[in-house]
Amino acid sequence: MHEEQAHGATPVDGGDRDRWEWRRRIRANPRSAQIYRMAVAIFGLIVVLIGIILLPFPGPGWVIIFIGLGIWASEFEWAQNLLKWVRGTVEAWWDWLEKKGLWAKAIAALLTFALVLAIFWAMFAVSGVPGWFPDFAKDFLVKVPGLG
């Protein structure tokens, strides 16, 4: 019997064992393993830094940071532990919010909306209202205190 069949995988689909074979080959050589870990560290750092740069703007800053953390977690135990802690904290917060009912969700949504508005206001106060905005939006925004 072939080794693939002994592990429950068929030669057609390659199975779960073959899916990670490339990492086993890299780790078999200490030099390539070290280079791979450095590449994962650098790539994860770049992704995390992009997420940090995007944090002040509305959008996926935190999601990008968590993707970078996931990249690190593929190779580093400290990142796995941090990602596990973050997931547990978010799940606990979400569970707490679910138990509090609709009023807590509404307050959380309003606070999130207020934070997004504050970020936009600060961004427009520093850089000005973008020229590509439609005229009605620019006319409205320049009347907002601190933006005109």
Side-chain angles (χ1 to χ4, degrees), residues 37 40-41 44-45 48 68-85:
R37 285 178 62 90
V40 168
L45 179 64
V48 167
L69 188 56
I71 291 167
W72 279 337
S74 72
E75 197 61 31
F76 302 104
E77 188 174 342
W78 63 267
Q80 291 172 5
N81 294 335
L82 180 59
L83 194 57
K84 201 178 300 181
W85 177 81

Side-chain angles (χ1 to χ4, degrees), residues 5 38 46 48 61 64 74 79 81 83 92 95-96 112 121 143:
Q5 292 170 338
M38 286 178 17
I46 289 169
V48 167
I64 293 171
S74 72
N81 294 335
L83 194 57
D95 290 344
W96 177 84
T112 302
W121 179 86
K143 294 177 185 173

Side-chain angles (χ1 to χ4, degrees), residues 48-132:
V48 167
L49 289 176
I50 290 170
I52 290 171
I53 290 168
L54 294 176
L55 272 179
F57 306 105
W62 281 110
V63 172
I64 293 171
I65 290 172
F66 293 137
I67 290 170
L69 188 56
I71 291 167
W72 279 337
S74 72
E75 197 61 31
F76 302 104
E77 188 174 342
W78 63 267
Q80 291 172 5
N81 294 335
L82 180 59
L83 194 57
K84 201 178 300 181
W85 177 81
V86 167
R87 282 182 182 156
T89 302
V90 169
E91 286 175 7
W93 182 80
W94 190 255
D95 290 344
W96 177 84
L97 196 58
E98 288 280 318
K99 290 176 188 172
K100 295 299 179 188
L102 187 59
W103 68 270
K105 292 176 189 175
I107 290 173
L110 284 173
L111 288 173
T112 302
F113 182 69
L115 178 63
V116 169
L117 285 178
I119 290 170
F120 268 118
W121 179 86
M123 189 170 64
F124 293 158
V126 170
S127 65
V129 177
W132 52 267

